[in-house]
């Protein structure tokens, strides 16, 4: 993934293969390097995203960009859960400067996109 033009630290949250909330929470714990005490529920995810102490050290000065990719399969399989996840990501971005969560490619960059025909 290319660097962020704004100079923020970039972290990729890759949801390829995620089809339920438990897998989403596991992937967030792994890709976002959340602490062992992360409760793997919506409130705990929101709390962790809001805690600047859990961001990479260099993000304190530069900011943090979390790019969520490979999300389409989860969004299609569990639309209600995906809506909650999107709300948490949006709220994390709105809470203050320093953190920005954005949706990247809906499919994983690990495999080519589907092509018609």
């Amino acid at each position: 993934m290319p660097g962020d033009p704004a100079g923020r630290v970039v972290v990729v949250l890759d949801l390829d293969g995620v089809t339920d909330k438990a897998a989403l929470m596991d992937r967030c714990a792994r890709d976002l390097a959340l602490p062992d005490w992360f409760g793997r529920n919506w409130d705990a995810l929101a709390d962790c995203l809001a805690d600047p102490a859990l961001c990479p050290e260099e993000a304190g000065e530069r900011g943090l960009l979390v790019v969520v990719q490979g999300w389409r399969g989860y969004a299609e399989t569990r639309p209600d859960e995906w809506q909650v996840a999107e709300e948490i990501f949006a709220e994390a971005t709105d809470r203050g400067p320093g953190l920005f969560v954005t949706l990247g490619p809906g499919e994983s960059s690990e495999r080519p996109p589907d092509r018609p025909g």
Side-chain angles (χ1 to χ4, degrees):
M1 165 152 287
D4 177 39
R8 295 172 288 206
V9 174
V10 178
V11 173
V12 174
L13 173 58
D14 187 355
L15 301 184
D16 184 43
V18 170
T19 58
D20 62 19
K21 180 181 170 186
L24 170 70
M25 295 299 164
D26 288 344
R27 195 65 58 87
C28 286
R30 183 193 77 188
D31 289 356
L32 302 177
L34 299 179
D36 291 339
W37 52 260
F38 168 56
R40 288 177 164 71
N41 61 59
W42 298 123
D43 290 336
L45 180 59
D47 290 345
C48 286
L49 289 173
D51 188 347
L54 299 179
C55 292
E57 187 175 322
E58 62 273 15
E61 292 180 13
R62 296 172 40 203
L64 178 64
L65 172 63
V66 176
V67 179
V68 183
Q69 70 180 28
W71 52 268
R72 190 172 316 280
Y74 180 58
E76 291 172 352
T77 303
R78 303 287 180 121
D80 293 340
E81 289 178 12
W82 176 243
Q83 182 177 4
V84 175
E86 280 189 302
E87 289 170 8
I88 288 171
F89 296 148
E91 287 172 10
T93 296
D94 290 342
R95 284 191 175 166
L99 174 65
F100 188 77
V101 181
T102 188
L103 296 182
E107 303 302 326
S108 172
S109 61
E110 304 285 316
R111 60 181 177 192
D114 292 336
R115 296 178 191 228

